[in-house]
């Protein structure tokens, strides 16, 4: 089955700096890669996703890149703000898995003012 | 707003007790999931159901059972709770093509 590894487990940046979180996956059949943000005491919520027919996707200050050959995908946050502080999870699945997402271990991002 | 509701939100119980966590949704989604969250381990899939008659084991199903009572209801049971089942449990729904919609979570403590 699918296995997703996420690094780093914690990340501390200064406000305005960029943050990068990386994930690797094992199942070459995986073709959907979402990122979820979980604020303290809240439920995880989708912030951006990418499908395997695309190499990069941007939404304002966040972007995701995918390298299918290397089985890597990354989340990039530019111009970080204190409200970006949260736990971020990557995940992967294949369409034939019916939405059964396998998650990475999570990255706790702290943005210091 | 259509939502995913979990009850109870917090529960403290003792080793050996039977516990049920309930999930109901008004999103009209067929697919429902139970995940467990532990610090440093991320979200791990316990069970999932694609419709009322289809239930599947996830990554960590041992010690758990589920019941899909209706399209909108999916319950997770711990037949005999043990301390290492102390965790935050999330129910989620989806249409199967992308985004998962999570409930607010149920924090379970087993003493």
């Amino acid at each position: 089955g699918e296995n997703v590894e996420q690094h780093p487990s914690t990340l501390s940046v200064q406000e305005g700096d960029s943050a990068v979180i990386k994930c690797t996956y094992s199942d070459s059949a995986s073709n959907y890669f979402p990122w979820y943000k979980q604020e303290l005491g809240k439920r995880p919520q989708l912030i951006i996703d990418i499908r395997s027919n695309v190499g990069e996707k941007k939404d304002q200050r966040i972007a995701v890149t995918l390298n299918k050959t290397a089985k890597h995908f990354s989340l990039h946050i530019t111009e970080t703000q204190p409200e970006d502080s949260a736990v971020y999870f990557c995940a992967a699945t294949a369409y034939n898995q019916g939405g059964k997402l396998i998650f990475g271990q999570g990255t706790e991002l702290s943005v210091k003012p | 707003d259509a939502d995913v509701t979990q009850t109870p939100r917090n529960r403290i119980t003792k080793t050996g007790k039977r516990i049920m966590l309930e999930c109901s949704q008004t999103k009209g989604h067929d697919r429902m999931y139970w995940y467990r969250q532990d610090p440093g381990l991320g979200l791990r899939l316990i069970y999932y159901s694609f419709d009322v008659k289809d239930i599947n084991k996830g990554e960590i199903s041992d010690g758990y059972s589920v019941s899909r009572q209706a399209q909108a209801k999916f319950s997770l049971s711990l037949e005999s709770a043990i301390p290492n089942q102390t965790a935050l449990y999330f129910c989620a729904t989806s249409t199967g093509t992308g985004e998962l919609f999570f409930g607010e979570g149920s924090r379970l403590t087993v003493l």
Side-chain angles (χ1 to χ4, degrees):
Chain A
E2 177 63 277
N3 183 53
V4 178
E5 296 289 332
Q6 182 173 348
H7 300 279
S9 57
T10 61
L11 180 59
S12 181
V13 300
Q14 289 295 132
E15 183 177 358
D17 288 349
S18 295
V20 180
I21 303 170
K22 299 182 178 182
C23 290
T24 61
Y25 62 99
S26 62
D27 188 351
S28 57
S30 287
N31 49 21
Y32 174 65
F33 308 92
W35 286 87
Y36 284 77
K37 176 183 181 181
Q38 185 182 27
E39 297 177 349
L40 189 63
K42 301 287 183 67
R43 69 186 89 183
Q45 293 193 301
L46 179 72
I47 55 170
I48 194 167
D49 57 15
I50 191 167
R51 299 187 187 271
S52 60
N53 58 344
V54 176
E56 182 176 6
K57 183 177 179 180
K58 290 183 179 179
D59 184 2
Q60 299 182 353
R61 296 185 298 106
I62 61 173
V64 57
T65 58
L66 171 64
N67 182 329
K68 285 205 70 183
T69 301
K71 296 182 189 172
H72 289 173
F73 59 113
S74 300
L75 178 71
H76 304 252
I77 305 174
T78 59
E79 301 173 17
T80 53
Q81 301 168 4
E83 52 265 38
D84 294 328
S85 295
V87 178
Y88 292 81
F89 294 100
C90 63
T93 191
Y95 289 136
N96 62 6
Q97 294 294 309
K100 185 185 72 173
L101 286 176
I102 301 301
F103 285 85
Q105 294 84 351
T107 296
E108 184 174 0
L109 174 64
S110 175
V111 180
K112 300 187 183 305
Chain B
D1 281 342
D3 205 358
V4 182
T5 303
Q6 293 183 230
T7 56
R9 296 290 314 281
N10 287 284
R11 182 71 183 269
I12 300 173
T13 191
K14 294 182 179 180
T15 297
K17 295 292 188 181
R18 184 178 187 275
I19 294 296
M20 179 180 286
L21 306 180
E22 298 184 326
C23 177
S24 62
Q25 52 114 347
T26 56
K27 289 192 168 293
H29 294 165
D30 288 330
R31 301 171 189 231
M32 299 187 73
Y33 310 81
W34 276 104
Y35 283 89
R36 167 178 172 161
Q37 183 176 11
D38 298 277
L41 296 178
L43 293 155
R44 292 181 292 167
L45 183 62
I46 306 173
Y47 271 95
Y48 60 103
S49 171
F50 288 171
D51 65 38
V52 174
K53 296 181 181 179
D54 179 72
I55 292 178
N56 304 279
K57 292 182 178 180
E59 302 168 271
I60 54 163
S61 59
D62 287 348
Y64 301 94
S65 62
V66 292
S67 173
R68 185 82 183 265
Q69 301 94 327
Q71 188 223 26
K73 295 183 182 296
F74 192 36
S75 300
L76 177 71
S77 293
L78 289 68
E79 295 301 325
S80 180
I82 57 177
N84 76 359
Q85 292 178 313
T86 292
L88 181 58
Y89 292 85
F90 283 101
C91 175
T93 72
S94 83
T95 60
T97 60
E99 184 175 0
L100 285 184
F101 296 86
F102 286 89
E104 292 181 297
S106 296
R107 185 168 297 280
L108 176 66
T109 302
V110 183
L111 301 176

